Amino acid sequence: MTVRVRIAPSPTGDPHVGTAYIGLFNYAFAKKHGGKFILRIEDTDQTRSTKESEQMIYHSLKWVGLEWDEGPDKGGPHGPYRQSERLHHYKDAAHTLIERGEAYRCFCTAERLDELRTKQRAAGGRLGYDRHCRGLDNTQARASEPHVIRLKLPTEGKIVVQDKLRGAIEFDAAEIDDQVLLKTDGFPTYHLANVVDDHMMQITHVIRAEEWITSTPKHVQLYKSFGWQAPEFIHMPLLRNADKSKISKRKNPVSLNYYERAGFLPEAMLNYLALMGWTLPDQREKFPIKDMIEHFSFDRISLGGPVFDLAKLTWLNGLYLRELDDDRYLGVLRGHVLSDAYLKRVIPLVKERIDKLEDFASYAGFFFSGKVEHKVEELVAKGKTPAETKKTFELLGEEFDTIVRWEAKLLDERLRAFCEKNALKPKELFMPVRVAVTGRSATPGLFETMEVLGKEVCRTRLRDAIAVLAVVKPG
RNA sequence: GGCCCCUUAGUCUAGCGGUCAGGACACGGCCCUUUCACGGCUGUGACACGGGUUCGAAUCCCGUAGGGGUCACCA
């Protein structure tokens, strides 16, 4: 049996560091055993999936060097590899299940389900679908009405998940919801799509994040209902913020775009990610990924959720950077931080503001630097307190997270709307933001500057500014 | 809250019954150096707690505590 593993990101937003992390472990395992590493795009959420995001996933995965053997752009013997192009498979599968009595149509409205949950919450009991439609015998007749298809789970007994890292994990079948398989819009949920695809694509090992453990019994039941053999499950620990919560953009740069832009080398990135929960038998911390492949084994994975430590990644990156010869160094420098493409975007903003070329670097320095210095007194608008400013920045950070197209015109609109929503005058917001994202009070136009800096840099500097304000003593 | 997972220093980890509990990041000191970095040396610092099992537990078992995840027609 040849090893076949997959990484299955959903194209909703920026390419995530967690995708690279899980991708790496899949990749290392596949390469170790001469198997195949497959990329599958899980775009079954019609409202959130975007083509831009899908493109960024390809770009970032290639950047870190995780080349896939089969995928939407590459093809392969088990395509298509984009779930939105496989809808008929899921539909067929769901109907097969209905015919076998393993699934049923459910006509409950979103309102009824909301109501149900509200009641359950009030009663303090368990949340979950009450199987209202499970016993319906006229489901066939009503097939033309809007409905979802739900999986029938056993009402008693245990469902056992075999996790390669943790052994047997037992769940009471009665505790598990009759999961929706096919949504009203005819699209499958993750649960159905991933099982159908993993089976059809002959995936042998599912290496995914720990957050999936609790839905795995549903998948186990699905394989059983179909009469298919389930793959092996390997649930990796979750990357964490410093406070141990699941890594998130509120507390860390999580976009791979950021790391590429900031001038981290892909080999350092991968090396660092490999260190998160895994060790080489000889304990070396700096190693090329081919060494990981050579020595890879699941029993060297530790299960405590590792805190993603930017400081240590930075140290490791320095090691890699220092061993580059000057020509290669020039190459990576010109490839990212000082690329022609980036300089060409900075020039129009700086040109009219300086008179001698020698002033370029000092005027435009913040376009090229990582961290910028924040002075509290510059960060806080007249008449505002540091605490108020901190609060405003936190809200603004969340606003940033929802902005998909990071362009000056849109930023202008969004920030003005933000002022209105939060009862702020533009000048009470714009100067503090300027200082937060550039570290300076004299800069080119704020929105143009923000566009060129990019979302991730702005987000990171805003986060840093928040941290500076957080240590100010009130009064 | 129910269910599930996890638990060695601030952080990443080694350890798989007998070790002075080892390494790395960060932090402090010293050396190198015109400065700053790099580099070298060095220091502070950990087995969550309580019961067992055992001649002997960081290592095995059971509790407790803590942390995390999950409870969607999102993945």
Side-chain angles (χ1 to χ4, degrees):
Chain A
M1 178 179 71
T2 75
V3 165
R4 291 175 58 81
V5 297
R6 46 61 166 190
I7 176 110
S10 61
T12 54
D14 283 13
H16 202 274
V17 65
T19 303
Y21 175 57
I22 299 297
L24 170 64
F25 280 80
N26 274 279
Y27 179 86
F29 178 65
K31 295 301 158 189
K32 161 93 185 182
H33 297 282
K36 299 284 187 214
F37 173 57
I38 291 129
L39 173 64
R40 184 170 73 219
I41 297 293
E42 307 228 334
D43 57 347
T44 56
D45 184 341
Q46 288 192 89
T47 56
R48 295 196 307 150
S49 297
T50 65
K51 277 283 168 218
E52 291 80 9
S53 178
E54 185 181 318
Q55 288 307 318
M56 287 194 286
I57 288 169
Y58 298 145
H59 173 85
S60 289
L61 251 24
K62 280 183 184 154
W63 172 65
V64 288
L66 297 175
E67 276 288 342
W68 50 100
D69 300 302
E70 300 169 24
D73 57 331
K74 274 204 168 120
H78 303 280
Y81 294 87
R82 196 180 281 115
Q83 290 187 327
S84 59
E85 295 167 14
R86 305 172 58 79
L87 298 180
H88 59 288
H89 288 129
Y90 313 126
K91 223 164 266 185
D92 289 352
H95 287 103
T96 302
L97 252 25
I98 287 188
E99 282 160 28
R100 292 197 192 179
E102 300 280 357
Y104 60 96
R105 293 187 173 84
C106 168
F107 301 88
C108 292
T109 59
E111 292 73 47
R112 192 184 101 79
L113 295 175
D114 278 349
E115 211 171 291
L116 180 68
R117 267 190 288 271
T118 310
K119 268 186 207 157
Q120 289 172 332
R121 216 180 298 271
R126 192 169 62 252
L127 302 174
Y129 181 58
D130 61 359
R131 298 177 167 167
H132 179 257
C133 294
R134 180 151 161 158
L136 254 43
D137 53 4
N138 60 339
T139 51
Q140 195 57 46
R142 294 171 66 192
S144 59
E145 292 176 30
H147 63 273
V148 301
I149 293 177
R150 285 182 187 270
L151 178 67
K152 270 190 200 169
L153 274 114
T155 51
E156 54 184 27
K158 302 272 189 198
I159 296 181
V160 180
V161 172
Q162 286 295 338
D163 181 277
K164 221 173 165 50
L165 303 179
R166 303 154 221 266
I169 305 172
E170 279 193 2
F171 295 85
D172 261 324
E175 302 279 335
I176 305 165
D177 248 12
D178 278 359
Q179 184 61 48
V180 171
L181 300 177
L182 212 59
K183 307 181 236 182
T184 307
D185 64 5
F187 275 60
T189 58
Y190 170 82
H191 307 285
L192 209 220
N194 112 83
V195 165
V196 168
D197 287 347
D198 285 347
H199 176 257
M200 294 184 74
M201 295 178 184
Q202 296 173 25
I203 299 302
T204 57
H205 301 257
V206 170
I207 304 170
R208 69 199 344 173
E210 192 179 1
E211 56 189 330
W212 293 107
I213 287 182
T214 46
S215 49
T216 307
K218 294 168 185 172
H219 305 160
V220 168
Q221 178 56 228
L222 262 174
Y223 282 105
K224 200 172 161 202
S225 299
F226 280 120
W228 295 339
Q229 206 209 328
E232 299 226 45
F233 294 106
I234 296 96
H235 289 98
M236 293 294 297
L238 246 20
L239 255 24
R240 313 292 183 105
N241 295 314
D243 64 3
K244 298 278 190 180
S245 57
K246 173 163 93 168
I247 195 166
S248 67
K249 56 188 165 191
R250 281 186 62 143
K251 295 168 184 170
N252 261 304
V254 293
S255 170
L256 291 168
N257 290 154
Y258 168 78
Y259 294 95
E260 182 179 1
R261 264 285 302 277
F264 285 92
L265 298 176
E267 48 271 49
M269 195 71 204
L270 239 30
N271 187 162
Y272 180 69
L273 256 14
L275 251 23
M276 301 276 86
W278 189 80
T279 45
L280 221 39
D282 65 9
Q283 288 287 285
R284 258 180 307 141
E285 295 207 279
K286 179 174 177 295
F287 53 84
I289 246 44
K290 71 167 176 43
D291 287 9
M292 180 185 189
I293 293 167
E294 185 184 341
H295 297 282
F296 188 78
S297 88
F298 288 124
D299 52 24
R300 294 204 63 80
I301 290 175
S302 58
L303 296 175
V307 171
F308 188 88
D309 181 5
L310 207 46
K312 188 155 181 177
L313 166 61
T314 302
W315 160 78
L316 193 59
N317 195 57
L319 254 35
Y320 277 92
L321 232 27
R322 245 163 258 131
E323 78 184 9
L324 257 30
D325 65 45
D326 293 355
D327 283 337
R328 282 199 58 207
Y329 200 103
L330 180 65
V332 293
L333 196 55
R334 296 295 295 271
H336 292 288
V337 180
L338 292 180
S339 70
D340 284 359
Y342 186 58
L343 284 166
K344 274 186 190 163
R345 299 181 66 198
V346 174
I347 287 169
L349 303 187
V350 175
K351 196 153 72 174
E352 52 194 309
R353 292 176 169 82
I354 64 169
D355 302 312
K356 300 200 301 297
L357 257 14
E358 66 176 1
D359 295 332
F360 188 86
S362 65
Y363 183 80
F366 63 85
F367 279 112
F368 308 97
S369 61
K371 285 200 181 291
V372 294
E373 291 289 319
H374 292 116
K375 292 203 181 81
V376 174
E377 60 273 24
E378 289 183 348
L379 238 24
V380 180
K382 266 200 195 76
K384 298 287 176 187
T385 68
E388 286 168 335
T389 307
K390 174 169 171 278
K391 185 73 201 153
T392 300
F393 281 179
E394 283 166 351
L395 290 170
L396 185 65
E398 286 170 38
E399 188 77 15
F400 279 9
D401 291 341
T402 67
I403 300 178
V404 178
R405 290 174 55 203
W406 194 260
E407 295 163 14
K409 193 165 166 298
L410 271 357
L411 286 166
D412 191 331
E413 290 167 14
R414 292 291 289 265
L415 290 212
R416 284 181 200 283
F418 179 86
C419 283
E420 218 152 293
K421 198 166 73 188
N422 294 283
L424 289 165
K425 292 180 191 155
K427 72 170 179 186
E428 290 174 329
L429 179 71
F430 293 174
M431 183 53 82
V433 171
R434 180 191 312 280
V435 174
V437 300
T438 67
R440 303 188 25 181
S441 52
T443 71
L446 178 60
F447 308 116
E448 290 78 7
T449 299
M450 285 173 68
E451 177 182 324
V452 172
L453 284 171
K455 176 169 160 178
E456 291 304 321
V457 170
C458 291
R459 188 71 183 85
T460 301
R461 289 180 181 176
L462 188 65
R463 203 184 289 113
D464 291 343
I466 290 168
V468 167
L469 291 169
V471 300
V472 176
K473 298 258 186 331

